Amino acid sequence: MEFLDGQQIDERGTAHNVDLFLTRDLEKALRFSGESRDGISSPQWSFEPSGGGYGNSQERRVGKVVTASNMVKAIADTIRNCDELNSKILFQCYIDEMKDWQVATKLGYTKEHFSRQIKRSALVEFADRYEVYGRFYHVYEDLHVYLA
């Protein structure tokens, strides 16, 4: 796949990056923000710092909470805005924490076909769409892997 600027995207590497991001970083963001997977499907509350009197240490903690909350929002919005099938796959795999074979069976795919093509496609779409929502919430990181 060629990216808009002519760079070739490594779909396997990108899918691997997104998988790590959605397993490791989402879990961390949920813990730091105080949010849960259950809340991802419903509107999110906003934790904005208010008033003065915070020391530097307190401001850093509040900043970490706000950043984590924004990351959760960016991930949730990205998943919601993927195409219908990919959104369903991402939601079931990373929010509902279903195993790949369970999702594959539920959707009528073999586990191998699901893992090699269907889920990979969903993960690459997530990386593409996260560019928009990650930037909007100021938590962007490029999840793509590019071929040399």
Side-chain angles (χ1 to χ4, degrees):
M1 172 192 265
E2 190 172 301
F3 201 59
L4 294 176
D5 61 4
Q7 287 185 291
Q8 293 286 324
I9 293 176
D10 175 353
E11 290 188 7
R12 179 181 284 173
T14 296
H16 178 72
N17 260 5
V18 173
D19 179 65
L20 287 176
F21 177 75
L22 289 175
T23 51
R24 181 190 60 218
D25 295 347
L26 173 58
E27 187 60 40
K28 252 190 235 179
L30 287 167
R31 285 195 313 264
F32 280 113
S33 69
E35 297 182 35
S36 70
R37 281 180 164 75
D38 294 338
I40 288 180
S41 60
S42 60
Q44 303 291 309
W45 55 273
S46 176
F47 185 80
E48 295 295 326
S50 60
Y54 290 108
N56 284 342
S57 175
Q58 183 67 20
E59 287 174 7
R60 276 193 299 276
R61 276 188 243 136
V62 169
K64 190 183 282 190
V65 170
V66 170
T67 299
S69 183
N70 284 344
M71 181 179 281
V72 171
K73 290 175 188 176
I75 290 168
D77 283 355
T78 301
I79 291 173
R80 280 189 205 107
N81 285 286
C82 285
D83 77 40
E84 187 176 349
L85 176 62
N86 289 343
S87 180
K88 186 178 291 189
I89 289 166
L90 294 167
F91 194 89
Q92 290 175 346
C93 289
Y94 298 100
I95 307 305
D96 292 342
E97 298 182 287
M98 292 174 66
K99 303 287 184 209
D100 283 2
W101 68 266
Q102 293 171 307
V103 178
T105 301
K106 191 173 182 177
L107 297 174
Y109 297 105
T110 65
K111 183 187 179 312
E112 293 75 24
H113 179 68
F114 176 79
S115 296
R116 273 191 247 124
Q117 291 182 338
I118 306 302
K119 185 178 178 186
R120 183 182 297 170
S121 176
L123 292 167
V124 170
E125 182 182 358
F126 181 94
D128 295 345
R129 291 186 183 273
Y130 191 71
E131 295 226 4
V132 173
Y133 296 101
R135 288 180 200 277
F136 179 79
Y137 287 107
H138 307 288
V139 292
Y140 176 71
E141 66 178 277
D142 189 358
L143 298 171
H144 294 96
V145 172
Y146 301 94
L147 298 172

